[in-house]
Amino acid sequence: MAEFRRFPCEECERKFVRPAERDRHWTDVHHPSPLWLCCERCCWGSKHRSSLIRHVAGRHGMGIRRARLEADDAEVKAKERSRIVRDKKEERKLMKVMELEKRTKYKERILENKIAEDEQEPEDESFSIELLCIQFSQIKIN
């Protein structure tokens, strides 16, 4: 039987009788499709256009041409959903980057303020000791 399998997968050692089988294996195993094609008439879905065509033609009693048109529409909608999801992921990444930049700027400002405080001349120690003594003497102990 192995002599009939002359279409090898480029990423693993499996061989297939037909190129379509090899292609389906490649998309299922090595590069799963993020697209999910949904039937507009029921809740059924598949990753493969051919499965959707077969489903629509058989389950809903349509001809192959009409089923292919529905599969084309489903593919367009799936690509649009995928684009929206991808855009949302990009937006989240951008928001994380902006938040990280805000945090780093805030930390830099804090560091600059600490450096500025350290550069100021210290108060006269005798004055601050006298002030503490005055405040301590004003405390009443019962």
Side-chain angles (χ1 to χ4, degrees), residues 14-140:
R14 287 196 63 183
K15 294 182 180 180
F16 300 91
V17 177
R18 295 178 200 89
E21 292 174 354
R22 178 197 55 207
D23 296 342
R24 179 169 281 209
H25 159 79
W26 188 79
T27 57
D28 282 347
V29 176
H30 301 297
H31 296 282
S33 174
L35 301 179
W36 192 254
L37 306 174
C38 300
C39 178
E40 292 182 4
R41 302 179 188 288
C42 63
C43 295
W44 190 87
S46 174
K47 293 187 287 183
H48 302 286
R49 184 175 183 275
S50 60
S51 297
L52 180 61
I53 292 170
R54 189 171 50 251
H55 163 79
V56 171
R59 178 77 174 182
H60 301 296
M62 299 181 147
I64 295 293
R65 284 189 185 167
R66 180 75 187 254
R68 284 183 181 152
L69 291 174
E70 292 223 1
D72 290 343
D73 292 343
E75 200 168 13
V76 168
K77 289 178 182 177
K79 286 180 181 177
E80 180 65 20
R81 283 193 309 268
S82 177
R83 185 190 62 77
I84 290 169
V85 168
R86 187 175 56 247
D87 290 348
K88 286 183 179 180
K89 284 181 182 178
E90 290 295 323
E91 185 178 341
R92 281 190 291 243
K93 285 180 185 178
L94 184 62
M95 294 299 287
K96 284 181 181 179
V97 167
M98 289 172 60
E99 187 176 324
L100 185 63
E101 287 176 355
K102 279 184 181 178
R103 287 181 182 173
T104 54
K105 286 180 182 179
Y106 180 72
K107 287 178 182 179
E108 288 173 359
R109 274 193 248 136
I110 289 175
L111 273 173
E112 288 173 3
N113 289 340
K114 283 185 178 180
I115 291 171
E117 287 176 4
D118 291 342
E119 290 175 354
Q120 291 177 356
E121 291 185 26
E123 294 180 4
D124 187 17
E125 287 182 25
S126 61
F127 176 74
S128 45
I129 291 174
E130 289 174 10
L131 187 61
L132 283 173
C133 288
I134 293 170
Q135 289 175 348
F136 187 72
S137 65
Q138 292 175 355
I139 298 175
K140 294 181 180 179

Side-chain angles (χ1 to χ4, degrees), residues 4-20:
F4 294 110
R5 297 175 186 245
R6 38 177 224 254
F7 298 100
C9 176
E10 296 173 354
E11 297 191 28
C12 68
E13 298 178 7
R14 287 196 63 183
K15 294 182 180 180
F16 300 91
V17 177
R18 295 178 200 89

